[in-house]
Amino acid sequence: MAVRPTRPSRFDVTVALGSLVGGLLLWGLGLAIRPHTEPYVLLPGRWSILLPLVVMAGCELLRRTAPRTALPVGTPAIVLDTVTQGNLVTILMYTDLMYAAVLYGPPASAHRIPRITGLLTVAGAVVPFALWREPEALLIGVVTGLVAFGPASTGLIVRNHREAADAARLRAGQTALLAEMDRTQAVTAERARMARELHDMVANHLSAIAIHSTAALSLDDPKTSRDALAVIRENSVEGLAEMRRLIGILRDAGGDTEPAAAPTLDGLGALVEAARTNGLDVHLDAAPGAVPAPVELAAYRIVQESLTNALKHAGPGRVTVRLTRRDGSLAITVTSPYGDREVPGAPGSGAGLVGMRERAALLDGTFEAGPETSPEGKVWVVRAALPVVEGEPE
C-alpha cells in the first residue's frame, strides 16, 4: 500500500467543501429526508440537521490521511442524523467515509469492516422483523446494507484490485531485473569463452615466435637464424589464420553453435607436428574414440595449451600426450620435463591454467596441474577428465 499523506489532498478538500455546500443548499431549500411527524425523529426542526452535516464534512477532510479517525467520528454523526429529519448529503458522505476507511485504512481494518457491516446488515433485517413482525422492518437491514456494507465491500474490492496490480508491477520489475542479470551473466560467460578461445588459438603461435626470435637474436649463426625465421613465419601465418577464424566467429550471426572450422581431435596429429617444428620432442598416444563435440573441442584446447606451456616453460626432454577412455570419461594426461631450461622461455600470465580449468568445469569434469616426481625425474603433469555420454556421441 502507498504511503498515506500527512495533509488532506486537494481532492479531499474539494469533496468536503462541495459536500458541505450541497448539504447547506438542500437544508436551505428545506429538502429533508423525513417529515417531523415520523415517530423516530427525536430532534425535529431544521437546525438539528446542521450538526451531523458539518461534522461529516470535517471527517471528509480526513478520509485519506486518518481513515481510522474519520469513520469512528462519522458514525455517531450518522446516528445523530437518523434521529433528525436528515440530510441526503450527510448520508452520502458517510458512505464515502466507509469506502475510504476500507480502501486507505490498514489491512486489518480493511478486512474487519466489511465483516462487521455485513453482520450489522443481517442483524438490522432479522432482529426488527422478529420483534415487530412487519415486512417494513426489513428495510432497516436494506438501508444499513446500502449505507455501510455496500461501500465497505466496494472499497475492499477496489483495494484487492490495487494490491493485485501492485504485486503484478513488482513481479514485472523483478522479472526485468532477473532478465537483466541473466543478460549480464550471458555476456560475461560469452566474454570468458571468447577470451579462452583467443588465448588458446594465439598463445601457442606467439610463444613459438617469441622463443625462436630470442634464439635468433642471441646466436650468431646464419643457419640457426634462417631456421628460426622459418618457424616464426610459419607460426605467424597460422596465428593470423586463427585470428581470422575467431573474427569470423564473432561476426557470425547464425547462432550459438560452433562453426564447422572448430578444431577436433583428428587435428591432434597436426598440432603435435607443429609443436615438434617449434622444438618440442612430443610423443602422442591418443585413442579417444567418438566423443561429443563440446568434449572434443575442450580436449583439443587443453592439449594445445599444455603444449604451449611446455614450449614456454618445460626443460629439455620428452613431452608425452595421452588420451584414453576411462570410466565413461575422456582422460587427458600431458607430462613435460620440469626444471631449468637451456634457453630463455616466454613470459606467462597464468591465463592458460585458468582457461583449462574453466573448460573442464563447464563440462562437469576435473582438472589438476602441478609438479610430480616420476622415475624419469621431476615432471609437470596436466590431468583432466571430461565426462562422455556412452553411445551418444555428437
Side-chain angles (χ1 to χ4, degrees):
M1 185 174 63
V3 178
R4 188 178 298 122
T6 57
R7 297 175 58 185
S9 65
R10 181 177 300 179
F11 177 79
D12 295 341
V13 173
T14 302
V15 169
L17 292 178
S19 300
L20 181 60
V21 171
L24 291 176
L25 181 61
L26 294 180
W27 176 79
L29 296 175
L31 299 177
I33 299 176
R34 295 173 290 272
H36 67 279
T37 57
E38 291 288 339
Y40 49 84
V41 176
L42 304 179
L43 298 174
R46 297 182 59 196
W47 294 101
S48 59
I49 301 174
L50 289 179
L51 180 59
L53 176 66
V54 174
V55 172
M56 203 69 73
C59 292
E60 281 285 76
L61 292 173
L62 306 176
R63 62 188 297 274
R64 199 177 320 204
T65 58
R68 288 196 295 179
T69 301
L71 185 61
V73 174
T75 300
I78 195 65
V79 173
L80 178 61
D81 184 74
T82 58
V83 298
T84 66
Q85 290 182 252
N87 191 303
L88 180 61
V89 176
T90 302
I91 298 175
L92 293 177
M93 284 192 290
Y94 183 75
T95 60
D96 182 64
L97 288 182
M98 186 67 69
Y99 169 82
V102 175
L103 183 59
Y104 303 115
S109 299
H111 292 84
R112 188 184 303 120
I113 291 173
R115 289 197 293 267
I116 294 175
T117 55
L119 292 175
L120 291 177
T121 299
V122 174
V126 174
V127 174
F129 180 78
L131 293 177
W132 299 333
R133 300 295 179 176
E134 294 287 342
E136 290 79 2
L138 296 173
L139 294 177
I140 297 177
V142 174
V143 173
T144 304
L146 292 175
V147 174
F149 180 68
S153 301
T154 303
L156 183 60
I157 292 173
V158 174
R159 184 188 182 104
N160 289 338
H161 280 293
R162 288 188 178 182
E163 290 178 349
D166 291 339
R169 283 193 293 269
L170 178 61
R171 287 194 298 270
Q174 292 174 342
T175 302
L177 179 60
L178 291 175
E180 179 62 22
M181 292 175 62
D182 290 342
R183 188 194 68 82
T184 302
Q185 292 176 354
V187 170
T188 303
E190 182 64 15
R191 287 167 62 93
R193 186 178 78 89
M194 299 315 301
R196 288 193 301 270
E197 289 293 318
L198 179 62
H199 179 274
D200 292 345
M201 286 193 301
V202 179
N204 182 48
H205 301 297
L206 292 183
S207 298
I209 291 173
I211 291 174
H212 284 277
S213 60
T214 301
L217 291 173
S218 60
L219 299 176
D220 188 13
D221 183 357
K223 182 178 183 305
T224 302
S225 299
R226 283 195 302 271
D227 294 341
L229 289 174
V231 174
I232 290 172
R233 183 185 184 282
E234 180 181 353
N235 280 277
S236 61
V237 171
E238 292 179 359
L240 182 60
E242 294 281 4
M243 283 293 296
R244 286 172 176 169
R245 191 181 75 83
L246 179 60
I247 293 173
I249 295 175
L250 292 175
R251 289 180 175 176
D252 183 19
D256 298 335
T257 57
E258 289 291 337
T264 64
L265 293 181
D266 293 336
L268 286 181
L271 183 64
V272 169
E273 286 300 324
R276 290 169 181 164
T277 302
N278 292 331
L280 287 179
D281 180 12
V282 185
H283 173 71
L284 175 64
D285 180 9
V291 297
V295 176
E296 196 168 18
L297 176 62
Y300 182 92
R301 292 304 188 195
I302 290 174
V303 173
Q304 183 183 43
E305 180 59 27
S306 299
L307 293 178
T308 300
N309 289 340
L311 179 65
K312 292 191 292 185
H313 308 296
R318 168 164 288 192
V319 178
T320 302
V321 179
R322 183 174 289 106
L323 279 77
T324 57
R325 294 287 284 271
R326 184 187 309 157
D327 298 332
S329 298
L330 176 63
I332 306 167
T333 306
V334 181
T335 61
S336 57
Y338 184 75
D340 296 332
R341 293 171 56 92
E342 298 178 355
V343 296
S349 63
L353 293 177
V354 174
M356 288 190 286
R357 185 172 288 108
E358 288 178 349
R359 288 184 183 277
L362 287 174
L363 297 174
D364 294 328
T366 60
F367 174 83
E368 59 180 8
E372 295 183 6
T373 301
S374 70
E376 293 78 15
K378 200 170 186 181
V379 294
W380 181 271
V381 182
V382 174
R383 289 191 179 91
L386 308 178
V388 177
V389 179
E390 292 290 349
E392 296 183 7
E394 293 184 1

